[in-house]
Amino acid sequence: MTHPGIAIRSRLIVAGLLALAIVALMASAAVHGYRLMENKATVINAATEEFINLQRTLRGLDETIFTEGTPAAWQMVGSGVLAFDQTWPKLVAATHDADRRAQLEDDISPKWEVFRRDVAGFLRIRFPGPDNEKAMIAFGKLITVATALGKDLEDFRTAASTSAEAEMRRFAALATATALFMVVALLAVFFWAYRGIMDPIASLARVMAEVSQHGDYSARAPVAVKHEIGELATGFNVMLKQIEDRDLDLAAHRDALEDEVATRTAELRLA
């Protein structure tokens, strides 16, 4: 019994589309992974840069105390504060995690505003040397705020680094599992396409070998499905039936002639 089958062209198209889907998926995963790593690296690098800017500002404040406020020391403090302010928007924009962003906006940012305000007040002190009590008190306060701020920045950088590693591991595991699933699906589709093509061809080849070796024109190729090879097998069966009918007709005609010859020979003998 035959049943409608999926055309060979359709089988090959399905296999090709699945292969393209796997390639597209792997390319998309690679792009996503690259962007993820790039974003995490931006966050970590920006946090590290902010920590360095803070330390540079502290060094400038230190130089200001020991040099009693030379222009070079003030310039070092100003450049450190300016660099921190310039890097801060980049750090906030690159931070997509809600908890990390909240840490930046609710914890680190207020401390930096306090530190920057106190730095401005410190720089207004005249002759801020070691003997200036007001300068030393302000400097001590700045050190306290900067220490807390530096710890927060380091904690943020560590948390961002840990989060990046965990997210990359999850992404790698998901990408691997998806790739394995797609490869298994592709193998299944190719096996399905192979069986749909090779099984009917093998059956047809067996019948052709039987006909050629034994001259058995009563053999028929199985037609399980109606696709291109099924149509070929049907045409081959029609050809075999025509040959078989011709042989039967020739055999019947030969038998009739033999009977007629036998009858005439008998009549001649009786005469």
Side-chain angles (χ1 to χ4, degrees):
M1 179 180 179
T2 61
H3 57 84
I6 300 177
I8 294 175
R9 181 189 304 173
S10 299
R11 292 174 183 264
L12 295 177
I13 289 175
V14 170
L17 289 177
L18 185 57
L20 288 177
I22 291 177
V23 173
L25 177 65
M26 299 304 294
S28 176
V31 171
H32 179 74
Y34 172 77
R35 289 179 178 175
L36 179 64
M37 291 192 313
E38 186 179 36
N39 176 258
K40 296 300 182 181
T42 300
V43 172
I44 295 170
N45 291 339
T48 303
E49 187 176 346
E50 290 294 59
F51 185 83
I52 294 173
N53 291 332
L54 177 63
Q55 297 305 313
R56 186 169 64 176
T57 304
L58 286 175
R59 181 182 174 187
L61 291 171
D62 211 26
E63 290 289 331
T64 302
I65 287 291
F66 287 108
T67 62
E68 296 186 352
T70 61
W74 287 351
Q75 183 179 7
M76 184 181 298
V77 174
S79 63
V81 172
L82 179 62
F84 194 103
D85 287 339
Q86 290 176 341
T87 305
W88 182 257
K90 181 173 67 173
L91 176 59
V92 174
T95 304
H96 299 153
D97 183 86
D99 293 336
R100 301 284 80 78
R101 183 182 283 267
Q103 184 182 4
L104 288 176
E105 295 176 347
D106 301 337
D107 192 10
I108 298 177
S109 181
K111 290 180 181 177
W112 169 250
E113 293 298 330
V114 171
F115 180 78
R116 183 171 58 177
R117 183 192 62 207
D118 292 346
V119 166
F122 176 81
L123 293 179
R124 286 194 293 269
I125 298 175
R126 295 175 60 84
F127 306 110
D131 297 330
N132 189 324
E133 183 179 357
K134 182 179 178 181
M136 294 306 296
I137 292 174
F139 182 70
K141 184 180 178 181
L142 285 171
I143 292 297
T144 301
V145 176
T147 300
L149 185 57
K151 183 179 182 304
D152 288 344
L153 284 171
E154 182 60 22
D155 290 344
F156 175 86
R157 190 195 67 79
T158 302
S161 179
T162 302
S163 174
E165 292 175 0
E167 191 166 348
M168 285 304 300
R169 284 194 297 269
R170 288 194 299 270
F171 175 76
L174 178 61
T176 301
T178 303
L180 287 175
F181 172 78
M182 294 296 286
V183 168
V184 170
L186 180 61
L187 290 175
V189 169
F190 273 119
F191 181 73
W192 166 71
Y194 176 83
R195 290 288 303 274
I197 296 172
M198 295 308 300
D199 284 358
I201 290 178
S203 298
L204 181 60
R206 284 194 297 269
V207 174
M208 293 175 67
E210 182 179 349
V211 172
S212 63
Q213 293 174 7
H214 305 290
D216 183 9
Y217 295 105
S218 64
R220 296 291 183 269
V223 183
V225 291
K226 293 181 179 179
H227 53 37
E228 291 89 337
I229 299 177
E231 293 175 359
L232 178 63
T234 300
F236 183 67
N237 288 339
V238 170
M239 182 185 68
L240 288 178
K241 186 175 186 310
Q242 291 174 348
I243 295 174
E244 183 184 19
D245 291 343
R246 184 198 63 189
D247 287 350
L248 290 175
D249 290 342
L250 288 175
H253 185 63
R254 184 182 63 250
D255 292 341
L257 287 177
E258 290 177 353
D259 291 342
E260 185 176 354
V261 169
T263 302
R264 294 291 178 86
T265 301
E267 288 177 353
L268 290 173
R269 286 177 180 174
L270 291 175

